[in-house]
Amino acid sequence: MSRHLLAAAAALAIAAAPAAAQEWRGWNIHVPDYPNSKGLDRWAELVAQRTSNRIRMRMFHSAQLGQQDEAIQQLRLGAIDVANFNITPLNNLVPETQVLTLPFIFRDVGHSHRVVDGAVGDAIAREIEAKLNMVVVSWFDAGARSVYTRDRPVRTPADMRGLKIRVQTSDLFIDLMRALGANPVPLPFGELYTALQTGVVDGAENNWPSYESQRHFEHAKYYSTTEHSNVPEIVVVNKQRWDRLSAADREIVRAAAREASALQRQLWAEREKASRDKVVAAGVVVTEIQDRRPFAELMEPLYAKYAGTPNLKALVEQIRATR
Ligand code: BDP
């Protein structure tokens, strides 16, 4: 065979070979048995099956690849390929995400699903993609966030006065705590256990599963059901990774992410109850807030500050009109 023919044959062989297998790195903050971690594992499993292992996602749970703000940065740069996190840390970067974290914006869980799975979720996903170089492929649940404290229970906003309360990196959450009279302390999730233990903070706010799985209840045993915010979570893919996929592979990745999200939502509902039961059995004192109006009234000014532009106001109206 001539050299030319050999070269042509080699080129043909390369063209005919299946695309090289890819290994993606996935980030998540939670322990391996958390609903989100299990949802991500299912996603990886489905994608591997449906691409005959051409796309393998290796999920690193428990913040092994870094704390949340750093991980988001890594994802934007492409050092991490996929991730799941709640949208609060995007508030300062993509103002449209603020509307989903506003206090008491959702009527119930069903309402939040219809909003994020519908036109509002799509509009916010487009902004995230354009500004942050990541593609939203599905949404996970994170339930309602409530306040928990070390030394005494919170029954009314007056009980919050002067308390140092940990928040995520978000101006909206900083102002939310100030509106209640507390002193917000932005801290990474992974540092919170020690901060509660040593009294660097007096309390924090989160859903039942995070409160339980991070063992915060060991040092902050008063949980008050303020349920001030229902922050949805996103599942995202770095945009360069996404853009290099064929249309068929994109469909596989997206459809599998939606299926993973159905599983996560089911596991979430179960875990919320199980976590609550577990911490109550461990001696947590639950204060049921029957009337949330005094909290909601103090937070009302956040709507003007964080959803004051015509565009954000329209999103808030669209959320309220979603049935
Ligand atoms: C959890 C969210 C996670 C956040 C964490 C926090 O799932 O994305 O990082 O709260 O408060 O509920 O930092």
Side-chain angles (χ1 to χ4, degrees):
M1 220 188 286
S2 78
R3 289 223 329 258
H4 288 306
L5 267 178
L6 264 179
L12 259 180
I14 290 169
Q22 308 178 22
E23 186 167 279
W24 295 6
R25 280 151 52 95
W27 178 89
N28 165 36
I29 210 162
H30 293 292
V31 293
D33 79 341
Y34 203 80
N36 303 31
S37 314
K38 289 188 170 168
L40 292 174
D41 289 344
R42 171 64 62 85
W43 184 34
E45 194 183 301
L46 292 174
V47 169
Q49 258 170 27
R50 293 172 187 175
T51 62
S52 310
N53 282 324
R54 276 184 298 106
I55 304 178
R56 276 179 291 121
M57 301 191 219
R58 180 144 177 235
M59 296 297 177
F60 294 87
H61 303 305
S62 309
Q64 285 173 64
L65 302 180
Q67 286 301 320
Q68 190 157 265
D69 290 340
E70 300 149 35
I72 291 171
Q73 194 53 28
Q74 296 292 308
L75 179 71
R76 293 175 69 180
L77 297 170
I80 289 174
D81 303 291
V82 299
N84 152 245
F85 46 86
N86 81 5
I87 54 155
T88 306
L90 304 188
N91 286 168
N92 293 359
L93 306 168
V94 183
E96 288 76 7
T97 63
Q98 290 170 170
V99 298
L100 300 177
T101 46
L102 281 166
F104 303 109
I105 185 86
F106 298 117
R107 290 187 294 277
D108 50 41
V109 180
H111 182 211
S112 74
H113 287 175
R114 291 189 294 280
V115 167
V116 297
D117 295 337
V120 173
D122 290 349
I124 293 172
R126 279 196 296 276
E127 294 300 325
I128 294 175
E129 179 170 342
K131 295 195 179 115
L132 299 183
N133 201 35
M134 53 181 88
V135 177
V136 178
V137 287
S138 71
W139 297 78
F140 279 180
D141 266 355
R145 295 176 76 100
S146 287
V147 168
Y148 46 91
T149 41
R150 266 168 52 104
D151 301 326
R152 52 191 166 78
V154 166
R155 294 194 179 86
T156 65
D159 297 327
M160 304 269 312
R161 200 156 301 142
L163 292 183
K164 286 175 279 166
I165 303 288
R166 178 269 175 175
V167 290
Q168 289 183 263
T169 320
S170 150
D171 291 344
L172 189 155
F173 263 85
I174 289 174
D175 278 342
L176 184 155
M177 280 303 154
R178 286 199 181 124
L180 295 175
N183 293 328
V185 181
L187 267 186
F189 196 46
E191 288 174 22
L192 181 51
Y193 180 89
T194 312
L196 287 167
Q197 183 177 34
T198 55
V200 165
V201 294
D202 301 305
E205 49 82 54
N206 219 313
N207 48 50
W208 290 108
S210 285
Y211 176 59
E212 172 264 310
S213 63
Q214 296 293 314
R215 313 197 66 80
H216 295 162
F217 67 92
E218 292 176 356
H219 299 294
K221 70 168 188 169
Y222 299 102
Y223 194 97
S224 304
T225 60
T226 50
E227 300 188 353
H228 49 274
S229 194
N230 272 65
V231 183
E233 307 233 347
I234 45 178
V235 177
V236 283
V237 181
N238 165 272
K239 190 158 157 52
Q240 272 76 44
R241 269 287 183 214
W242 181 260
D243 288 345
R244 287 199 297 263
L245 293 177
S246 66
D249 280 349
R250 283 185 200 160
E251 191 39 45
I252 289 174
V253 170
R254 205 185 270 284
R258 292 212 176 107
E259 286 173 51
S261 144
L263 171 73
Q264 190 273 349
R265 286 173 177 178
Q266 179 204 326
L267 295 175
W268 182 263
E270 294 164 14
R271 181 69 179 245
E272 265 189 328
K273 289 194 191 69
S275 293
R276 181 178 173 144
D277 291 349
K278 185 172 166 184
V279 297
V280 168
V284 161
V285 179
V286 181
T287 302
E288 287 291 354
I289 308 286
Q290 305 294 352
D291 183 7
R292 299 196 174 87
R293 272 171 307 180
F295 290 90
E297 279 160 15
L298 289 172
M299 298 185 201
E300 188 58 38
L302 294 181
Y303 277 73
K305 182 156 178 196
Y306 291 96
T309 64
N311 169 28
L312 299 187
K313 253 190 197 155
L315 283 174
V316 168
E317 274 156 30
Q318 228 178 315
I319 292 175
R320 292 204 164 127
T322 303
R323 296 284 141 211

